[in-house]
Amino acid sequence: MTTAVIVASGPSLTVAQTEIVEVARVAGRCRVIVVNDNWRLLPDADVLYAADGKWWRLHWPAVNAGFRGEMWTCKRETAKQFGICHVDSTPRKVGLSRTPGLIHEGGNSGYQAIGLA
């Protein structure tokens, strides 16, 4: 089993924390999933997850030019539009999904990134 670090948005996230995560990633001690704009702090992360199609449309040029990992969303049309990876989701379930390839939405991309991990 591989350790996954989810770098989600919030006021407590610091640059020092992202530096520690990057050192661990480079050393092979974890895989890193960044959520939404946090790809700017860790452009070499393994995965970028953003659920919102509007976010992808707004940020696509910069993300496409600057992010080097896999890109994921739960919005099928957004995945098709930008040629990124898609994961199915359900908005009505609580907790984490036990079904491979299906995440529970939980109301935000950070929650969904945990399910993706």
Side-chain angles (χ1 to χ4, degrees):
M1 183 176 290
T2 302
T3 299
V5 176
I6 312 298
V7 181
S9 301
S12 63
L13 180 64
T14 67
V15 172
Q17 291 168 333
T18 63
E19 291 169 352
I20 291 167
V21 168
E22 180 61 8
V23 168
R25 187 194 67 77
V26 169
R29 296 193 314 264
C30 65
R31 294 203 47 181
V32 178
I33 300 175
V34 291
V35 177
N36 296 333
D37 292 342
N38 288 326
W39 74 270
R40 294 179 187 279
L41 297 172
L42 291 161
D44 292 320
D46 299 291
V47 172
L48 164 58
Y49 183 83
D52 187 14
K54 183 178 178 181
W55 185 92
W56 282 105
R57 288 187 294 280
L58 180 65
H59 297 284
W60 177 250
V63 170
N64 190 42
F67 186 73
R68 298 179 256 308
E70 296 177 10
M71 296 175 247
W72 286 78
T73 186
C74 65
K75 305 299 184 206
R76 189 176 305 278
E77 290 305 314
T78 300
K80 286 180 185 177
Q81 180 180 359
F82 297 109
I84 63 177
C85 301
H86 171 261
V87 62
D88 285 327
S89 67
T90 181
R92 294 176 188 77
K93 302 269 184 160
V94 296
L96 296 176
S97 173
R98 294 182 181 265
T99 304
L102 178 72
I103 61 172
H104 297 168
E105 290 183 11
N108 65 68
S109 291
Y111 185 99
Q112 293 166 34
I114 294 169
L116 184 64

